Amino acid sequence: MGRITQNAIALRIARRSVKRNRLQSALIIAIIALPMALAGFALTYRESTQPTGAEFVHYQLGLAQARYQVQVPPSKDLWQMPSDTNLSYANDGEQSSQGQILSMQEVLPRKDLLAISSGVTDFKTATGIGAITVVVGESWSSDFLGQGPVSLLKGHVPSSLDEVLVSSDALDRFGVKVGGKIHTVAGQSFKIVGVFSEASRRKLEDVVYLKTGALENFQTGPTETMYYQLGGVSPKWSEIQRLNKLGVLVVGRSVLLNPPPANQLNSQATLSSIGTLIGALFLAPLVLLPVIVLAGSAFAFGARRQTRTLAVLSSLGSSTKLLRKITLASGVWLGLMGGLIGLGLGATSAFLFGPSVADLNWGGRNWFNYPAFHLPAGMLVLALLCSVVLGAITSLVPAIRASKVNILATLRGSRSEGQVRARSGVGAIILFFSGVGAIIVSLLVLIRSAATGGDYQVKAALQIIGVMIGLAGAAVTVVSFIVGTGWILKAIRVIMARFGSTANFAGKDLLYNRKRYSPVIASVLTVTFVASFVASFFYGPTKFGYDNYAYQYLPGQAGLEFGVTPTDWDPSSPTPKAVSAENFWASVPKRELLESQRKLILATGAFDSATIIDSTVDVMNSGGVNNTDGTLARQFDVPAPTVIYNPAKTCYYTGLSPKSQEWIQAHVSGMSSSDMKLPAGCIGVDDPRRTIVVGDAKELKAILKETDKGALTTLEDGGVVLFNSVYDYSGKAKVSWLKPSDYSWIGHHLDKATKTVTLPSHVVSKITSNSFNYAAMVSRETAARLGLKAYPMSMVVNYAGEVPQAATDQLNGRNIYLSYSNGTGVLNPENFAWLIILLAALFSLASTGIALGLSQIEARTDKRTLSAIGAPRSFRARLVASQALALTMTGSLLGALTGLMLGAAMLNGMDSSMAQFPWVQLAALVFGVPAVAAIAFWLLTPRSLKYETRQALD
Amino acid sequence: MSKVLLELIDVQKTYGTGENEVHALRGASLQVKAGELVAIMGASGSGKSTLLTIAGGLEVPTTGDVRIIDNSLPTLKPAQLATLRRQTIGYVFQDFNLIPSLTVIENVALPLELDGVKVRKARKAALDALESMDIGELADRFPDEISGGQRQRVAIARSFVGPRQVLLADEPTGALDSKTSEAVIRALRKRIDAGIAGVLVTHDAKLAAWADRILVIRDGQIVEEISNTITPEQFGA
């Protein structure tokens, strides 16, 4: 039989079969298109965020030949790529800087360079005072204006030193129109003659553009000035490399438009490519595994659908090769369709939503992070090819099975799944233990890598090997579950038999038709595995970063702190005169002043509350300070109340820990970190606060932004509310009266305390920062009982949403500078984990829905038979829902288990302090997806089913 | 004297082992000559369909030999067996077994195309076969667009297209009404008379009346052979 004829027949049957079974084909295509759509979006979006050389030239240079910027002191190790915006150092970690940063005149003594500098200057705004970005120089040069880098939106360019251009958002901030005047705080006035926009700046940025020399006393660092070469010849690559070594970054027209060959680029760039390759190797199994399993499941359905056709062909004398070809052709055809549709949808989504994603991603877009929509044609064709190859690969097993079709059994419609083979169970167990073993080996290799000292190459090599072994182990574990699906379904049947007749029937159906249902488990399993791993792997480090982020206030909170500044103390004096205690206490902040500031803050309308917080005074900091010659600068050496931290809770590296010296010694002697592990949950506080807030429910609520019942009860019961667990002594808090002269950072010299009281305490778990502005709090009643005297030392301000710039300017105008060190913008690990789980849940639900949908299409005849013999809808709905629940729950649990195992191994291996897991989110995924799937299939069960005899044609 | 095209020699077929052992055929022997139609009758489970599938090379006998034009089927390799099924044997199933995604003419031309015959030539032969079954006008329809009787005629056309010499039919009219059944068996007979050997498995005595010989099978053994002297007309055809 001719190969061409065979291929033609195979393709014809495959194509027609796809067309004939539209719904089933659509679902199979959808399962392939789903990951392809994600790939299409990611590829296109990434390409669109990468400026081309021509875009670089257009937006950065206009008609200029080059731009020079001194960035760092000279070094022979400095290098750049043609489109880099920062210099890099060769020889990883070794920054062989030499001396000072050079001036541009020293580096490039040309006279035709146009200098444009940027900085910040205080201006009077519509509501008060604002620190506004200023750009000084001829930004509107004809080489830039209208050529790409800048545009004049309104008015004309400045012709004198007192004329300026502003960005459109700055107009609102100044509250003037074109033609109006603006004033610096220093007293200079400028007339706005036009509105300007700069391609490289983000939207919503307030900028004032001035002529050179217009701003008096304008000072800016040498790195803040860009030098543009407007004429002459664009620098060659060799010249750029020479300037790099002098600490100068160059954006050159000719090298951007005609990049130098790879052999002229720094080898570090090649290393960076290798790094990217390793990253890709790391990601590839995570992306490919679910795609292969999902596509393989889809093709398994497709191949089974064709079994009868193959049996007929076989009976007509077709060769086994042709049977294989038909299944392979179906795989290729479906892969092609899925790839085309998925990649098309992905690329279209990137076209439609790419700019918005860039906005979200970068908090305001400019040309640099989204220059234009770029279609990565080559990459998309490659992805399409991958889809087709994946189709072929994943249909290989079904194709081999198809070629061994039992003609008579198939034609007679008899279908026997046979016994679950012991061989598959043994194989699954061997694979499972091999996979888990590999994960354990990966953990050991990673631990070894972490313990390896200075040899970075060995360390990196071990890390890569560990990661790869771990990933391979996890993949083998996933495969072991897929191989052992028969046994898993057997176990499910045993469990379901205990839950009544419907569940019993459902369990038996699952086992008997296991080839129909096993792809559902496989699909859910792999998607959950990847999601669990990704969520775990990234949650730990994110949470560590979040927990260790040193915020002073909670998100949506700002504050004002006041110090004690005795009028007769001059700290700038070489021998500051001692301050009398009387004068010191007389200098604490006045409540009237705080009250007036509080009113001003609330008057802006931007804040929900402003609460004056009374607390004890930190005399250690403000009072009993020793001069460098050892004399006491302040004479009031009287005992002051101090909340005492628990040294046992501190990390060794903080200096507060009793073991800090041991830790330092250990590290000096080159001991590896694994030999002296930090105690789990140790607190890295290095600057414990000492003052105690005195207040009641109102102040507590203001500090915590919510009512904490436990804290309130403690307060009311005469206990101490602790804002950091480092002060906790197993449910107690210690307050000691110490003289400033007896105070010491380490240990507080408690033996010298004139008085110590121990009170019941409550730790506020909500606060995770070691730099939170408050340490402890007692009620006014308790303070009176203990003799604690409190003063209005600070104010806490709460707000919702964002504080408008106008309000900040208004307060700045009144000399009120709120501190916003509240961690806004720091990635919240919980939200991050929820986002991953939500995406995974959507993907998992989609693949579950499709795989279950396909299995239900196969089971249609059985359901019709059930309907024909009088099974009510409720029975059928329970049947389908319980099957959906059992299948998805099994897949989710096994997937999450594997993902967690891998995540735990990698995190523990790299850094045990990162090994934290998003249990709540994972539980939501593991139990939520099955619940939603079960409910959906319950609801989608049709009321009645028309009975049809088994289709002779199919 | 006509040549023997199909011969079964002491064929035995056993399914299962031990307690589950079932003897479907117990030493069945049979010869069918060119231009001869043999009907096999028997009760359900008597082994008649097994005999046919073994004759068609779809199953392998446990013992005994099956010869089709000097080819001993049990000794053939799978590829050779496939070639024989493609080129020599035509098989008509009770439930048609047409490929739903191919048109009527593509279904009929399929054995030829599988054999490497050029598409145009295969289609021409397929159309001739369809026209000989009086269904040439259905050539471009899909199987699910035509009636049961028409589907079976397509299946018969497919079974004798090309140089087929042995035609095996398993209850070819089982799903058809009497009028359509007669048309189908008449078409079948016409092909046999053109010089090929045929075996027809049926329950229906009226259908068996079209055969030259009738073999009765019981418990896997051919227990009776009747030379058919009754004409179909005597059955009211």
Side-chain angles (χ1 to χ4, degrees), chain A residues 1-2 5-6 9 12-14 16-17 20 308-309 312-320 322 407-408 411-412 952-954, chain B residues 49 53 58-59 82-83 85-86 93 95 97-103 106 110-111 113-116 123 142-144 151 158:
Chain A
M1 200 185 326
T5 320
Q6 266 200 14
I9 295 171
R12 192 196 310 153
I13 292 176
R16 298 262 185 85
S17 176
R20 187 181 146 75
R308 194 177 176 87
T309 296
V312 173
L313 278 167
S314 193
S315 75
L316 292 176
S318 81
S319 62
T320 50
L322 177 67
I407 306 171
L408 278 179
L411 294 182
R412 284 174 184 160
L953 285 172
D954 292 318
Chain B
S49 286
T53 54
L58 297 175
E59 268 189 298
T83 308
R85 280 207 298 267
R86 214 158 55 226
F93 300 92
D95 47 6
N97 284 329
L98 299 175
I99 294 176
S101 55
L102 299 182
T103 60
E106 285 170 337
L110 193 58
E113 285 190 46
L114 287 173
D115 212 28
R123 299 280 168 96
F142 281 94
D144 56 3
R151 282 179 203 170
R158 184 178 64 184

Side-chain angles (χ1 to χ4, degrees), chain A residues 627-660:
Chain A
N627 286 322
T628 48
D629 62 0
T631 57
L632 192 67
R634 304 176 197 180
Q635 292 179 331
F636 53 94
D637 199 14
V638 292
T642 298
V643 59
I644 305 297
Y645 71 85
N646 185 349
K649 291 205 161 195
T650 58
C651 300
Y652 306 148
Y653 58 77
T654 62
L656 304 177
S657 165
K659 287 194 175 180
S660 68

Side-chain angles (χ1 to χ4, degrees), chain A residues 524-601:
Chain A
V524 180
L525 195 156
T526 39
V527 172
T528 315
F529 156 64
V530 172
S532 307
F533 170 65
V534 171
S536 308
F537 188 71
F538 291 104
Y539 174 85
T542 312
K543 182 156 172 57
F544 185 83
Y546 185 78
D547 289 350
N548 288 281
Y549 182 79
Y551 57 83
Q552 285 182 277
Y553 301 97
L554 293 170
Q557 196 172 64
L560 276 176
E561 275 192 85
F562 303 92
V564 183
T565 49
T567 51
D568 58 347
W569 190 55
D570 178 14
S572 61
S573 161
T575 52
K577 241 176 97 180
V579 177
S580 67
E582 189 184 33
N583 199 351
F584 179 84
W585 292 116
S587 305
V588 294
K590 300 284 177 290
R591 192 171 296 278
E592 307 82 65
L593 171 72
L594 266 71
E595 190 55 42
S596 70
Q597 293 201 345
R598 196 180 80 83
K599 284 178 181 163
L600 285 170
I601 289 168

Side-chain angles (χ1 to χ4, degrees), chain A residues 60-61 66-74 78 80 84-87 101-105 107-108 113-118 220-229 235 240 243-252:
Chain A
Q60 295 252 287
L61 297 178
R67 191 188 73 196
Y68 306 89
Q69 183 192 13
V70 182
Q71 288 194 334
V72 287
L78 285 166
Q80 71 163 101
D84 277 355
T85 50
N86 282 304
L87 287 168
I101 288 180
L102 301 176
S103 73
M104 188 52 75
Q105 286 69 33
V107 175
L108 201 66
L113 296 181
L114 170 66
I116 297 178
S117 306
S118 58
T220 189
T223 60
E224 303 301 319
T225 303
M226 307 277 191
Y227 293 88
Y228 290 87
Q229 178 191 330
I240 291 175
L243 289 169
N244 285 166
K245 299 198 178 347
L246 296 173
V248 180
L249 179 99
V250 185
V251 177

Side-chain angles (χ1 to χ4, degrees), chain B residues 7 10 39 68 152 185 188 204 216:
Chain B
E7 189 176 10
D10 197 20
I68 292 182
Q152 194 58 295
I185 193 68
L188 201 70
D204 189 348
V216 179

Side-chain angles (χ1 to χ4, degrees), chain A residues 618-695:
Chain A
D618 186 358
V619 291
M620 315 296 177
N621 217 12
S622 311
V625 177
N626 286 316
N627 286 322
T628 48
D629 62 0
T631 57
L632 192 67
R634 304 176 197 180
Q635 292 179 331
F636 53 94
D637 199 14
V638 292
T642 298
V643 59
I644 305 297
Y645 71 85
N646 185 349
K649 291 205 161 195
T650 58
C651 300
Y652 306 148
Y653 58 77
T654 62
L656 304 177
S657 165
K659 287 194 175 180
S660 68
Q661 288 305 313
E662 196 184 323
W663 171 267
I664 292 165
Q665 283 303 318
H667 279 77
V668 167
S669 63
M671 186 184 75
S672 71
S673 56
S674 59
D675 294 335
M676 191 175 174
K677 277 201 175 280
L678 290 170
C682 73
I683 300 161
V685 63
D686 54 7
D687 181 18
R689 285 165 188 270
R690 296 164 286 272
T691 56
I692 302 163
V693 172
V694 176

Side-chain angles (χ1 to χ4, degrees), chain A residues 113-135:
Chain A
L113 296 181
L114 170 66
I116 297 178
S117 306
S118 58
V120 173
T121 296
D122 284 342
F123 276 86
K124 290 179 182 171
T125 64
T127 54
I129 291 170
I132 308 282
T133 301
V134 290
V135 175

